[in-house]
Amino acid sequence: MNMLLAVHCGAGDRKPTKKHLKTLGRALEIGYKKLIEGAKALDAVVAAIAVLEDSGIFNAGAGGILQMDGARRLDASLMDGSDLNAGSVIGLEGIRNPIKAARLVMDLPHVMLTNLGAHKIALAHHLEPLETPSGKIMAKLEKIRRTDTETGELYKRYFSTVGAVARDSERNVAAGASTGGVVAMLPGRVGDTPIIGAGVYADTRFGAISCTGTGEHIIRMSLAKEICMNIRNMPPRAAARLSLKNIVSIGGNAGIILLTEDGGAVIMHTTPYMASGYVTKRGCFVWEGMHSDK
Ligand code: ASP
């Protein structure tokens, strides 16, 4: 069975630029190189997501959206399908690569850490600090604050969280995701991304999935786990379509990348765009959205 790495850069209604797609391609390349070198699926997922966090052009790591009080509180999670080990960080401040912090949590007896402990562990392992937001970013936040009546609408429109799923040479799968959250969120808000079973799920017996979209709806449906369990009894595309339809029916929007146990991959979203792509030995494919499954 082929090794495979798939990446998404958030479901939303903004058309990804060439720069977004190029950076996505670079993340695929770097993650896939790890797989070729014999790394575990989990390590390929971390490597790909770290590239996207570092780029500063997605809503993750250096580009994470600010909460309404001006702080960047970042979320990330990881799950290894070979043993169901998982790690996540919630509301992490001042660290550039929350996905690397989530990886550190996997080596602890815990699954989730909030900023209180996650930050200490990240510093102890010398993870890179995050620069303070520029004046331009603060001005953007100020504009959002002033258009308060539209924040509900803004919340529904802009995403660009990042995520990845991979299958390694041992046929094991892993999933990960990283985000700054959503536009116009209250301080302390936590979305689906760091919640195992909502934003990500991986079990080598079934598949691996990473989600993006309106976090509150994704949490309420336990979207990642639901799809991963449904693919035991129905074709993967049908399982994804059914759950995404249900998300829309409760007022949300979402996108997913899914690897299945038999070697297949599904990319699907309810929004006009979701920059995404995958790489196998046949090549690297990147696009701005899969319109056929809207
Ligand atoms: N799901 C993320 C959140 O709610 C947002 C996104 O996918 O862009 O925090």
Side-chain angles (χ1 to χ4, degrees):
M1 196 184 294
N2 286 340
M3 293 183 289
L4 193 153
L5 172 70
V7 165
H8 77 74
C9 295
D13 69 354
R14 266 192 191 159
K15 190 172 163 151
T17 62
K18 277 193 185 134
K19 192 171 173 192
H20 286 126
L21 297 180
K22 205 172 153 202
T23 309
L24 198 160
R26 195 155 49 82
L28 285 169
E29 245 171 60
I30 289 173
Y32 192 63
K33 189 163 171 272
K34 288 254 170 214
L35 290 177
I36 292 172
E37 288 165 358
K40 284 177 66 177
L42 187 72
D43 299 323
V45 165
V46 173
I49 291 180
V51 171
L52 302 169
E53 289 177 337
D54 280 334
S55 73
I57 61 170
F58 297 107
N59 172 21
I65 289 177
L66 307 184
Q67 297 202 324
M68 287 299 256
D69 61 353
R72 231 182 213 136
R73 299 186 181 92
L74 306 172
D75 301 328
S77 67
L78 275 170
M79 187 161 187
D80 185 340
S82 67
D83 56 3
L84 305 195
N85 192 9
S88 79
V89 292
I90 297 181
L92 182 59
E93 293 184 53
I95 300 294
R96 193 180 174 87
N97 295 113
I99 199 69
K100 293 185 183 171
R103 177 66 192 85
L104 293 173
V105 175
M106 291 180 80
D107 294 333
L108 303 175
H110 308 308
V111 171
M112 305 172 90
L113 282 188
T114 62
N115 182 50
L116 185 70
H119 189 256
K120 280 189 190 151
I121 287 176
L123 287 185
H125 285 81
H126 311 292
L127 294 195
E128 271 188 65
L130 183 64
E131 306 78 38
T132 44
S134 65
K136 201 171 148 199
I137 292 171
M138 293 308 286
K140 228 175 177 182
L141 178 69
E142 201 38 52
K143 201 169 158 206
I144 291 167
R145 284 194 186 121
R146 282 202 303 270
T147 54
D148 197 38
T149 48
E150 291 168 28
T151 52
E153 269 319 295
L154 278 173
Y155 162 72
K156 287 193 181 142
R157 287 174 57 197
Y158 301 132
F159 309 118
S160 81
T161 286
V162 302
V165 288
R167 182 188 309 106
D168 60 30
S169 57
E170 309 268 298
R171 294 167 155 238
N172 283 318
V173 296
S178 179
T179 190
V182 288
V183 173
M185 67 192 143
L186 295 174
R189 179 264 183 191
V190 179
D192 59 299
T193 306
I195 314 282
I196 307 302
V200 299
Y201 199 74
D203 182 332
T204 293
R205 293 170 302 167
F206 314 121
I209 178 164
S210 179
C211 305
T212 165
T214 49
E216 283 70 8
H217 302 99
I218 296 173
I219 293 172
R220 282 154 63 192
M221 283 195 48
S222 299
L223 184 67
K225 174 99 190 218
E226 177 176 279
I227 295 178
C228 215
M229 293 302 106
N230 281 345
I231 60 179
R232 293 182 299 178
N233 309 315
M234 61 172 95
R237 293 197 81 76
R241 202 173 285 121
L242 177 68
S243 294
L244 291 184
K245 204 171 146 203
N246 288 340
I247 281 270
V248 172
S249 76
I250 59 168
N253 264 307
I256 59 130
I257 51 174
L258 166 70
L259 292 188
T260 57
E261 152 281 321
D262 61 358
V266 176
I267 296 180
M268 205 180 274
H269 50 101
T270 64
T271 48
Y273 299 103
M274 183 174 79
S276 46
Y278 68 89
V279 55
T280 67
K281 66 176 182 200
R282 291 207 195 107
C284 183
F285 307 91
V286 166
W287 50 85
E288 58 194 33
M290 297 287 280
H291 299 284
S292 56
D293 275 299
K294 263 203 297 170

